[in-house]
Amino acid sequence: MPNVLDLRRRIRSVKNTQQITRAMKMVAAARMRRAEERVLNARPYSVQMRAFLADLAARSEEREHPLLARRPVERVLLVLVAADRGLCGAFNTNLVRAAQKYVNENRNVQVRVVAAGRKARDFLRKRGLKMEAEHPGIFLRPVEFSAASQLASEIMEMYSSRSVDAVDIIYNSFKSLMTSELIVERRLPLEPIEPAKGETLVDYIYEEPPAVLFDHLLPRYVEAEVYRALLESQAAELAARMTAMDTATRNASDLLSALTLHLNRVRQAAITKEIIEIVSGAAAL
Amino acid sequence: MDQTLPQHIELQVVTPERRVVSETVDSVSLPGREGRLGILPGHAPLVSELSAGVLSYGRGDSEEHLAVSSGFVEVLPGRVIVLARTAERSEEIDAERAELAKERAQRRLHGIPGEDVDIERAQAALSRALARLHAVAETPRAGTRR
């Protein structure tokens, strides 16, 4: 049976851990709120850009941008977006499982990978998969657009130079505090941009030919989409961490009350035993 | 009064990070690739690329200035949509930092010949810094600040 001292020590240790998990929960909650806001703030840009592209597509005949080119898929690039840190529940595990499944399903083609986030890199390294590029540490602070822009230019470069025939991305998208959705999606070739139709078809004055504008706009669009994925992933990560830490804090509370109860019993038992000893000692006199 | 011509412009300036401006204004002036564009309500539809520079817009007697870097603009009779990589209001700009960036870029451009300088990047940095400084200079109270 554990003695009182051991139990006291144990309780102190659980309390300390609980303090840490509680602090992590608070930090994650605060950061998550900001991350969520950033997801929302990034939306108008994507939406406007998409509308703009559709407008341009309606006005230029040939759309043969390298980013729209479809070819038989022999080599694919997988962009795995995970977190930089752990302690966020099943966030990374789910991603890694999806990545594993993806690799298994694509045995007939050559799979190349790019890792965003330290956990993605660690997983791929452990698997012995060679990475084309890695971006550890981009999620430690709020994701910067420049990080997305760099990642986007890497994948566009690989696609345009025909090193790969398609680009897929795996990331967690933020749905709500409790739920995130695992997304496995083809990013390149881009879905054909549907020309805008209907009443708003106006004749524009073009400073440059629409086709040129379209070509310049397309890479910016890919950037914006990658940025959005990174933001979503970060918000989802923080939400997952917040929930995980909340659960951990509650578990610690349960453990504490159980331990305290046990401690009191043990202490009482010890006192009772002592009294019995004294009483019986006195009786023997 | 002509009913087909709008009296105001609905100006939207969005960047990947946020929506910087969403206002009804009287006039907009922005740096197109081929030169400055002045836009009043009822302007003919137009699309253009943006270069780094100052975007100004007026509403009543007040005028606001933004430093924008590369991007795109779509003009409709009653609407102007600007998609810019960055856009900062003049009061958000750190003039000292922009000044330093300008000097740094100039040093790189006029640096020792033969030294490995990415001319294009230095030029882009220079025009960004100049755009910021101009945006600050355009705003009257910026001069008396500090």
Side-chain angles (χ1 to χ4, degrees), chain B residues 62-129:
Chain B
S62 70
E63 203 168 35
E64 291 277 339
H65 304 276
L66 304 174
V68 296
S69 57
S70 60
F72 302 85
V73 59
E74 180 177 22
V75 179
L76 293 164
R79 233 146 66 95
V80 173
I81 300 158
V82 177
L83 297 170
R85 167 60 197 91
T86 63
E88 295 153 292
R89 289 173 179 279
S90 53
E91 59 265 26
E92 297 166 350
I93 295 171
D94 184 342
E96 263 167 69
R97 218 184 113 190
E99 187 67 46
L100 287 176
K102 182 187 111 188
E103 280 160 22
R104 203 164 47 234
Q106 277 170 338
R107 261 205 311 283
R108 255 184 290 157
L109 285 173
H110 305 298
I112 313 124
E115 205 186 346
D116 197 18
V117 175
D118 187 340
I119 300 275
E120 230 170 83
R121 238 186 90 186
Q123 255 157 4
L126 181 59
S127 56
R128 274 200 309 274

Side-chain angles (χ1 to χ4, degrees), chain A residues 105-137:
Chain A
E105 279 168 6
N106 287 283
R107 284 201 180 288
N108 47 345
V109 293
Q110 190 191 337
V111 179
R112 300 180 161 198
V113 279
V114 169
R118 192 172 295 146
K119 292 286 171 182
R121 181 195 66 182
D122 293 350
F123 161 73
L124 295 166
R125 197 175 273 169
K126 214 158 54 193
R127 286 273 142 200
L129 287 163
K130 205 178 132 289
M131 275 163 283
E132 303 298 321
E134 48 186 71
H135 301 265

Side-chain angles (χ1 to χ4, degrees), chain A residues 268-281:
Chain A
Q268 220 158 12
I271 292 167
T272 315
K273 204 174 117 203
E274 236 169 84
I275 291 172
I276 291 171
E277 271 163 14
I278 292 168
V279 170
S280 47

